[in-house]
Amino acid sequence: MKLNKSSLPKESMFFSQREFKFIDAFSTTFADENCEIDIQKIGKLFFSTGPKWIDSLFALRNKIVKFFGLKVSNSISERGIQLKNFKCQENDQIGLFKVFLSNENEVVLGENDKHLDFRVSLFLKNIEGKNNKELTISTLVRFNNLFGKLYFIPVKPFHSFIVPSMLKSIVQNLQKEV
């Protein structure tokens, strides 16, 4: 599977957002022979298939940032209950990730906090003439103050490993189901 550093898709609901100062995206293509894969399936896999080391990083992050009064996610067991009811609809929430926008091709997740606001776009596109799809995961960050910029300095290098790992994990799980 080939992962590509890409850009925010032009069809994304967030393409024209200029207030976000950090934007990156990764994409890959995969087969969908029976045309059964939709954005809701992708959204659920985003929260259920990531490598375990990502959960450990988030747990460490939560322990550190709670002392600064930042929002933290709930426990892994609570996340499982939330995931069961997750429909990728506006205002659904899993941990720190609230659904801000959703349509048949995209779900935009994220959170607003005092230091920064972030969005994660999961964008699913049909590739014309083939039973293939392209999945793009884009991240957008708006800094609300100097602390947000300082917070993101150590986060940014991890981010460039986390997002491709999550993308790869989603597609590998899709391929197992076929």
Side-chain angles (χ1 to χ4, degrees):
M1 164 187 347
K2 183 176 179 184
L3 301 178
N4 301 304
K5 179 104 171 104
S6 60
S7 56
L8 187 66
K10 290 179 182 165
E11 305 90 348
S12 171
M13 292 182 276
F14 263 73
F15 185 73
S16 62
Q17 297 292 320
R18 299 291 177 232
E19 72 269 12
F20 290 90
K21 299 304 178 196
F22 173 83
I23 300 174
D24 79 347
F26 295 88
S27 63
T28 192
T29 58
F30 60 91
D32 184 13
E33 296 296 327
N34 299 322
C35 298
E36 296 174 337
I37 299 167
D38 62 10
I39 197 62
Q40 185 175 351
K41 184 173 203 76
I42 297 295
K44 285 191 172 227
L45 287 171
F46 178 78
F47 289 106
S48 63
T49 64
K52 296 296 178 211
W53 61 266
I54 293 174
D55 289 339
S56 299
L57 274 178
F58 275 110
L60 177 62
R61 175 234 178 247
N62 288 339
K63 286 179 183 177
I64 294 169
V65 303
K66 71 179 176 184
F67 293 110
F68 296 100
L70 302 181
K71 294 179 181 179
V72 297
S73 59
N74 49 13
S75 71
I76 298 295
S77 62
E78 289 178 39
R79 188 172 70 184
I81 294 167
Q82 290 175 327
L83 184 60
K84 192 175 184 178
N85 299 315
F86 189 66
K87 305 279 189 263
C88 285
Q89 296 173 348
E90 289 181 27
N91 297 315
D92 280 0
Q93 182 136 6
I94 295 183
L96 280 179
F97 294 82
K98 174 181 142 187
V99 177
F100 280 88
L101 300 166
S102 180
N103 65 28
E104 65 185 30
N105 298 319
E106 183 176 25
V107 61
V108 176
L109 311 151
E111 186 58 86
N112 296 334
D113 208 341
K114 60 186 176 184
H115 65 309
L116 59 76
D117 304 334
F118 74 92
R119 301 292 183 270
V120 175
S121 164
L122 306 174
F123 187 84
L124 188 62
K125 177 180 177 178
N126 290 320
I127 298 175
E128 261 185 69
K130 299 181 179 180
N131 287 343
N132 289 337
K133 292 188 176 171
E134 179 180 62
L135 175 59
T136 303
I137 301 179
S138 305
T139 306
L140 302 92
V141 180
R142 174 178 40 226
F143 304 105
N144 296 329
N145 52 40
L146 178 60
F147 181 64
K149 291 177 183 176
L150 293 173
Y151 168 91
F152 198 65
I153 290 170
V155 170
K156 189 176 177 182
F158 288 103
H159 170 80
S160 54
F161 290 110
I162 291 172
V163 175
S165 294
M166 303 235 5
L167 180 60
K168 184 177 180 181
S169 185
I170 289 169
V171 173
Q172 285 174 336
N173 276 275
L174 288 170
Q175 292 172 340
K176 284 179 192 174
E177 292 178 11
V178 177

